[in-house]
Amino acid sequence: MAKEDVLLLDFWVSPFCSRVKIALAEKGVAYQQRGEDIFGGKSELLLKSNPIYQKVPVLLHDGKPMCESTNIVHYIDETWPSPPLLPASAYDRARARFWADFIDKKLFDAGGNIWKTKGEDQAAAKKELIQILKYLEGGLGDKDYFGGDSFGFVDIIAIPLTTWFFAYEKFGNFNVEEECPKFAAWTKRCLGRESVAKTLPDPQQVLEFVSMMRKMHGIE
Amino acid sequence: MAASDVKLLGARPSPFVNRVQFALNLKSIDHEFIPQNLAEKSELLLKSNPVHKKVPVLIHGDQPISESLVIVQYIDEVWSGPPSLLPSDPYDRATARFWAAYIDEKWFPLVRDLRNATDEQSKAAAVEKLFEGLKLLEDAFVNSSNGKGFFGGEKLGYLDIVLGCYLGWVRAGEIFTGLKILDETKTPALVGWAERFASHKAVDGVIPEPEELVNLIKMFQARAAAAAADASTK
């Protein structure tokens, strides 16, 4: 496949963009990447491709735009079937979609509430995040990855969000590994994977970005 | 497959439960509907959906599946014969999933906002936002239906189910506020679609009558007012 056929509109710190990059790497799909200036001015192409949300990631395949990261990962899995990201059985696929939906609805917002607030609100947000991670530990069970022996769909949906945990821990004053050791072990396992290690930004840089956002929001 | 092999834990007024019922009906899947009391949740519900503790839950054999969109996709994959609910082309599927997420996360909450609006100004503002969303959905319908009657084309498909389940609550919202939401002068294609959808045999009888839902709205509002009064006197 020619490189120009697949284009990703990207922002370096976005865990949602990372999901798409990891999925494409797992499939061995060559693509072009264009960094968006989220604060300075979004490109014409982004605004035209995603008029409703005006957000990254946007994947353009043969010029056809797709939005929403979980949706895009689904598309990548269906369009380049090998190796499969979703499990084989319909029930396991339903479980994978359930966890992806849970992560999408809960995890990033809970983390956001930690760095955006202080005092009682922050304590409540921390509690919520830990509860979410405990649910995810339940979903993982004794398996190496959410889908079983192989790295797959839910792992891709979840792992990029962990790059923000260092920032949550700093501002929330807690430690994910102490509270959820199984989740921390899964995180390390995924980070050992080439597609993940090469894609994810350094948590220290994410922390600096979040610090900047806090200042912008007037939180101190 | 015996009827007892497929169970649906649900509550009749829930549009998310209705979605699953449409899918089961479209695929002619025998099933047992087990109504749930959401004020006092059953052991079975709590065991089957421990994370969210919500309906709908589909129990197939002894395996529970939760989240209405996940359930509909599961039904489509397991009972893979016609009619297909999701489109076959990956890009069309991505488009369908995009609109499903938009409807659930952005558009339907606006109907709730309208129901909860107490004064004329906020009602009017809520209706304005609803219309903006409906214009987008009107375009999505025109693109998706290819000149045919449903989002899925000639037959009911995924997006018909995803949006159609809300029609009872939309109608209830119109009765309750006295304002039009589905307006043939603004979104004629969707108005036509809504009539065809409501009279489809897989849909008929599933969605409660709007009057029943209006009574529920009144009950929710009374409860919310009582709770607010309680809280302010403590």
Side-chain angles (χ1 to χ4, degrees), chain B residues 141 145 147-155 160 189 192-194 196-197:
Chain B
F141 174 76
S145 59
K148 303 283 192 297
F150 299 104
F151 281 91
E154 272 182 17
K155 299 212 164 114
D160 299 285
W193 163 81
R196 283 189 293 278
F197 181 84

Side-chain angles (χ1 to χ4, degrees), chain A residues 147-174:
Chain A
D149 295 328
S150 313
F151 181 78
F153 191 80
V154 179
D155 308 291
I156 293 178
I157 296 303
I159 193 65
L161 296 166
T162 66
T163 56
W164 287 60
F165 283 14
F166 184 53
Y168 304 154
E169 286 170 325
K170 271 273 167 312
F171 292 118
N173 195 24
F174 70 108

